Amino acid sequence: MSLFKKIINRINITTIEKRGDHILDQVESIDNQPAVAIATEKSGFYEGFNRIVAMVPKLFIAALVVWVGLSPSAAGELLLSMQNWTTANFAGWYIYITAFYTLVCLVLGIWSRTAHIKLGKADELPEFSMFTWLSMMFGAGIGIGMLTYSTAEPIFHFANNPDTIKGLTNSLNEDNVRNAYKWALLHYGLTPWACYGVVGMSLGYFSYNRGLPLTIRSALQPLFGRAMSGSAGHVVDIVAILATIVGLSVTIGYGVSQLASGFFNISGAQWLVDDSGKPTLVAQLVGLILIISASCLSAMSGLKKGIKWLSNINMGLSVFVIAFFVIFGATFFALQTFFYAIWDYLVALPAMSTTVWSGEGPEPATALQSWQGAWSIFYWAWWIAFAPFVGLFLARVSRGRTIREYVIGAMITPSLICLVWFAFVGATAIDLELSGIAQGTIVNADISAQLFKTINLILSPELAVALSVIIVVLLMTFLVTSADSGILIINTLASGGNQGLKQAKHVIIWGVIFALLIGALLSAGGMDALRSVMIIGALPFSVVMGLMAISLVKTLLSDKAE
């Protein structure tokens, strides 16, 4: 170790040790590298938390809420321009870095040298059953997205995708079905789950195998050593918390919009939607208050009670809804689509994952760039922003699983579950459009209403209302599961990896923060404002994730060589 590095490390250690108002989570040094020691308060309002990590994100969000609240129109316009700048300048980065995450996870899960390494002690058994484990991962990771996008994603790409832009297939035509699913699976297949997977695998290994705190900074300890105990580590965890907040805000925003459409489909109450069929701001805010209140109650009950219970309900209701579409939907068409989609997706994945359209040159270059910015870049930012929350959650529930089990359970199985939703729900919607029954009703509906438009066409009015009630209940449990899991994860990050520290007052504070942020951004520009904040906010954490992947590979190879 260089003299300079020794001096810096000594300064960090001395600074921490002199803070008499803090306690240290001391961890034994490993492989001659100093471990991570995170200072936390021993008394007062922030007892058990690192004051800096807990306070700075709140100040950032408070400033954003005040700014948006004082001038919503100007804020919405500026956020949109910042989003366009980010997309134009960092599209290539988002494309290539997500491909890198996917490659790392698959190689670690396939390669025999790393695949059999367990996240935990060699004799440690998994804490949760396989069904509960998969339910919790799917519910927290992407459950809400399935209810919103199981219809919307295939139907949107059926109308427009890069192949139709290039003139290779025809919009809303039968020859475009396979391409629609190929592009839909790009956004809901291996790549998003790899974003979650690389974070969860890193945190699980460094926490359970190396005894480090269950927090984002621990995954960078092999690269930066003792620096992760001080200000640099604080910055890493703060970036992770901010990414979690913006990612979860977009998810809840889409969820409450669909919740309003669901209640409208059940009740017909006109105050829920405007003349164009979009959910009103009042309806969204009412749904937001309902979900955040329930989430706080669930979060205070902890992981093994509220979240586990809700996750099992989620999976059971999901199976019921899919069974409904198997019976009443376009089942034969869906089965054909399912198997074709797997083949088409796997063949096209390398090209789809690494192609960047710059917009330079003659048409359709500009149209392709616009499509990629609106879809792929938006999605990669979404999954990256969601990754600290879902990844840490996956780490918490995956102790005792091998890396191969983890890759199968956290990447491959959820990808197949997403395809099942796309095949049976989305293919039914496409079949209704192809047959002329829908006559554009589904394609032209607001994204929050497309699922309900589909069930209205395949079921009697009475059954459509009954299924809408079940979907609304499922949507609410997914929303509550995601929100309460997010609150628990934020508290874990802010407390230096303490998994048992809930404290009702901090749960409620974060619930209020989420409600204020989402409400302010919905008022400023609806979902466009939420999307803008997320695409901008995800960028710093994408760098952290890249470093986490490098650190994990380096450490696994080093440990295996011993």
Side-chain angles (χ1 to χ4, degrees), residues 64-88:
L64 179 60
V65 170
V66 170
W67 172 54
V68 171
L70 291 176
S71 54
S73 299
E77 292 176 5
L78 181 57
L79 287 171
L80 184 58
S81 65
M82 291 174 66
Q83 174 195 326
N84 293 335
W85 180 85
T86 303
T87 302

Side-chain angles (χ1 to χ4, degrees), residues 170-185:
N170 299 301
S171 175
L172 301 176
N173 193 282
E174 192 170 354
D175 70 348
N176 198 35
V177 173
R178 290 178 64 169
N179 287 314
Y181 274 84
K182 175 182 71 179
W183 292 104
L185 269 183

Side-chain angles (χ1 to χ4, degrees), residues 500-531:
L501 189 66
K502 295 189 283 290
Q503 292 195 9
K505 60 187 177 184
H506 291 287
V507 169
I508 293 171
I509 287 171
W510 278 115
V512 171
I513 288 172
F514 271 116
L516 291 175
L517 176 63
I518 298 168
L521 290 173
L522 286 174
S523 302
M527 290 309 302
D528 288 338
L530 281 169
R531 286 167 60 111

Side-chain angles (χ1 to χ4, degrees), residues 132-313:
T132 298
W133 182 51
L134 292 174
S135 299
M136 294 170 81
M137 289 193 297
F138 184 78
I142 214 165
I144 301 169
M146 279 299 91
L147 286 174
T148 302
Y149 282 98
S150 58
T151 312
E153 186 82 13
I155 207 79
F156 269 116
H157 297 321
F158 180 52
N160 186 49
N161 63 60
D163 294 296
T164 60
I165 293 171
K166 290 186 282 189
L168 302 176
T169 54
N170 299 301
S171 175
L172 301 176
N173 193 282
E174 192 170 354
D175 70 348
N176 198 35
V177 173
R178 290 178 64 169
N179 287 314
Y181 274 84
K182 175 182 71 179
W183 292 104
L185 269 183
L186 171 66
H187 302 140
Y188 281 85
L190 297 175
T191 307
W193 291 100
C195 293
Y196 303 155
V198 75
V199 175
M201 199 186 306
S202 297
L203 296 179
Y205 186 78
F206 287 110
S207 178
Y208 307 141
N209 296 61
R210 286 201 155 210
L212 299 181
L214 187 62
T215 185
I216 302 296
R217 71 175 77 189
S218 294
L220 302 186
Q221 185 268 344
L223 298 180
F224 302 104
R226 177 63 75 176
M228 288 296 100
S229 296
S231 299
H234 297 343
V235 170
V236 169
D237 285 341
I238 288 167
V239 166
I241 289 175
L242 290 173
T244 300
I245 292 169
V246 297
L248 194 55
S249 294
V250 169
T251 301
I252 295 174
Y254 274 115
V256 296
S257 295
Q258 190 172 35
L259 195 63
S261 292
F263 280 124
F264 174 74
N265 207 54
I266 295 167
S267 66
Q270 290 299 318
W271 67 273
L272 293 166
V273 298
D274 59 23
D275 294 337
S276 64
K278 293 184 177 182
T280 62
L281 178 60
V282 173
Q284 290 173 311
L285 294 178
V286 170
L288 178 63
I289 293 171
L290 176 66
I291 294 303
I292 294 298
S293 300
S295 300
C296 289
L297 292 174
S298 178
M300 285 186 282
S301 70
L303 179 67
K304 294 183 179 180
K305 294 180 181 179
I307 297 174
K308 176 182 176 181
W309 180 71
L310 285 173
S311 296
N312 286 331
I313 292 177

Side-chain angles (χ1 to χ4, degrees), residues 410-434:
M411 281 183 65
I412 297 173
T413 301
S415 298
L416 290 173
I417 294 174
C418 289
L419 178 55
V420 169
W421 276 86
F422 283 155
F424 286 95
V425 180
T428 298
I430 289 175
D431 185 63
L432 290 169
E433 292 288 356
L434 282 174

